[in-house]
Amino acid sequence: MIKAELRKKYMQKRKALSVDEAFSLSERILEAFLDYFKPVAGQKVHIFTPIRKFNEIDTKIFIHAFLEKNIRVFVPKVIAEDLISVEINEDTLFETSNWGIEEPGSNEDSGEHHFDYVITPLLYGDQKGNRVGYGKGFYDAFFQSISPASKKIGINYFSPDEQIDDVWENDIPLDYLVTPTEVLSFFNGLE
């Protein structure tokens, strides 16, 4: 299927989830992430904050778990046409952007380019690590600006059942996809 069709299909599937179902699946995805990657104190995680109206995975539970483990947490903030990384802690004040995204009040870019994990929003990810986002291209540009050693990890409620047919040369694939039931690696067994 092409991205536009997949975007529509998976947005509808996501919206069909009840609040309780979405939270339960979010918890299972967090458990799968923690079990597989075993993040430790001092590591750096870049993670998006959820857009509630799109019923995105509740990454606030991820952020809380990371901060409890003394893992450094960075969240994206869009300034003009750029995505910056703002480091946060338990005391960070958030405000809601025009897009309905909770972002830190600070506009100070951390300047960080090496993350242990970059947890990435998506509507759909296929079995090759290709992803369908919202079509703005922020994460493809962001991926080009960070260390190639940073693990790019998509998280999704749904397993990859369909191939994305219109991948283009500037699309940067994920390294992993975490769902409530599995963690897929796209390194062909090499890490």
Side-chain angles (χ1 to χ4, degrees):
M1 292 180 80
I2 63 171
K3 290 179 187 177
E5 293 168 346
L6 288 164
R7 191 173 287 121
K8 183 177 179 181
K9 177 179 180 175
Y10 284 91
M11 183 67 89
Q12 289 173 342
K13 285 182 75 163
R14 189 193 281 172
K15 284 183 178 180
L17 296 172
S18 72
V19 171
D20 289 343
E21 286 173 318
F23 187 75
S24 176
L25 292 171
S26 295
E27 288 180 318
R28 288 172 48 198
I29 293 166
L30 172 59
E31 288 171 20
F33 177 90
L34 294 174
D35 288 346
Y36 189 90
F37 295 103
K38 299 178 180 19
V40 297
Q43 287 188 313
K44 294 175 278 190
V45 176
H46 186 280
I47 184 168
F48 66 98
T49 53
I51 303 174
R52 300 274 183 221
K53 68 181 179 184
F54 292 155
N55 212 14
E56 286 189 330
I57 292 166
D58 187 349
T59 55
K60 288 191 167 203
I61 62 173
F62 287 65
I63 291 168
H64 182 71
F66 296 149
L67 291 173
E68 275 191 340
K69 292 177 175 280
N70 293 316
I71 293 167
R72 294 176 64 192
V73 177
F74 301 79
V75 297
K77 184 168 184 175
V78 175
I79 305 290
E81 296 298 315
D82 297 317
L83 190 146
I84 66 168
S85 297
V86 179
E87 188 166 6
I88 64 167
N89 58 46
E90 291 285 356
D91 299 324
T92 299
L93 298 176
F94 285 80
E95 51 194 37
T96 303
S97 74
N98 294 338
W99 294 353
I101 302 170
E102 286 188 50
E103 297 178 327
S106 170
N107 288 343
E108 185 177 336
D109 189 347
S110 67
E112 189 64 56
H113 296 286
H114 177 80
F115 302 95
D116 296 283
Y117 311 102
V118 177
I119 300 176
T120 307
L122 52 84
L123 285 162
Y124 180 74
D126 72 11
Q127 293 180 343
K128 296 179 181 177
N130 299 306
R131 59 182 284 279
V132 175
Y134 294 107
K136 303 288 186 199
F138 284 118
Y139 273 85
D140 288 317
F142 181 66
F143 289 160
Q144 290 176 352
S145 74
I146 62 173
S147 166
S150 301
K151 292 177 175 72
K152 300 176 296 299
I153 303 165
I155 55 176
N156 198 3
Y157 295 122
F158 311 107
S159 293
D161 298 323
E162 299 159 281
Q163 183 176 318
I164 300 170
D165 294 328
D166 58 341
V167 175
W168 64 294
E169 63 189 40
N170 291 333
D171 288 345
I172 298 176
L174 299 166
D175 299 318
Y176 298 90
L177 177 65
V178 181
T179 73
T181 59
E182 62 188 334
V183 177
L184 298 163
S185 171
F186 306 113
F187 287 106
N188 299 319
L190 303 173
E191 287 193 53

